[in-house]
């Protein structure tokens, strides 16, 4: 089972799929917390998607990262740098280096 954190992304899995969620942040940039009926707290997240494998999940994360409101892209260079930023963060978390 996968249970990883990469920047604001939470990557988990079950026997069928890889699930990617993204934490929600408040106006101060702090991670929002949700409380259930029993009083248990957890990070407030929004679903990015369900993926068949980790490689496809990375593509979904890259897409969400460059299209999200927190990323300002005005040129192709900005787009490339944003993709490199998120890809490097994922590779570092997975310690894949050149293999990925």
């Amino acid at each position: 089972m996968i249970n990883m954190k990469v920047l604001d992304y939470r990557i988990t899995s079950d026997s069928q799929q890889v699930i990617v969620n993204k934490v929600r942040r408040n106006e101060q940039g702090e991670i929002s917390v949700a409380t259930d009926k029993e009083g248990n707290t957890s990070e407030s997240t929004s679903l990015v998607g369900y993926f068949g494998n980790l490689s496809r999940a990375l593509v979904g994360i890259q897409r969400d990262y460059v299209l999200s409101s927190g990323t300002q892209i005005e040129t192709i260079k900005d787009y490339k740098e944003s993709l490199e930023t998120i890809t490097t963060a994922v590779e570092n978390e997975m310690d894949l280096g050149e293999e990925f």
Side-chain angles (χ1 to χ4, degrees), residues 10 19 29-30 39 41 66 72 87:
R10 305 304 183 246
I19 306 135
E30 300 166 341
T41 59
V66 298
Q72 186 68 21
T87 302

Side-chain angles (χ1 to χ4, degrees), residues 1-3 11-19:
M1 184 170 133
I2 298 171
N3 189 9
I11 307 163
T12 59
S13 69
D14 59 27
S15 62
Q16 302 294 316
Q17 62 205 345
V18 176
I19 306 135

Side-chain angles (χ1 to χ4, degrees), residues 12-72:
T12 59
S13 69
D14 59 27
S15 62
Q16 302 294 316
Q17 62 205 345
V18 176
I19 306 135
V20 178
N21 287 288
K22 185 176 182 181
V23 295
R24 296 177 187 197
R25 294 190 175 270
N26 61 23
E27 295 81 27
Q28 294 78 30
E30 300 166 341
I31 295 175
S32 298
V33 176
T35 305
D36 65 15
K37 294 178 185 178
E38 289 81 34
N40 300 318
T41 59
S42 62
E43 295 176 331
S44 178
T45 61
S46 61
L47 178 67
V48 174
Y50 299 99
F51 304 93
N53 58 48
L54 201 50
S55 294
R56 289 185 179 160
L58 173 58
V59 172
I61 291 169
Q62 290 170 325
R63 183 176 188 276
D64 182 77
Y65 186 81
V66 298
L67 297 178
S68 67
S69 60
T71 305
Q72 186 68 21

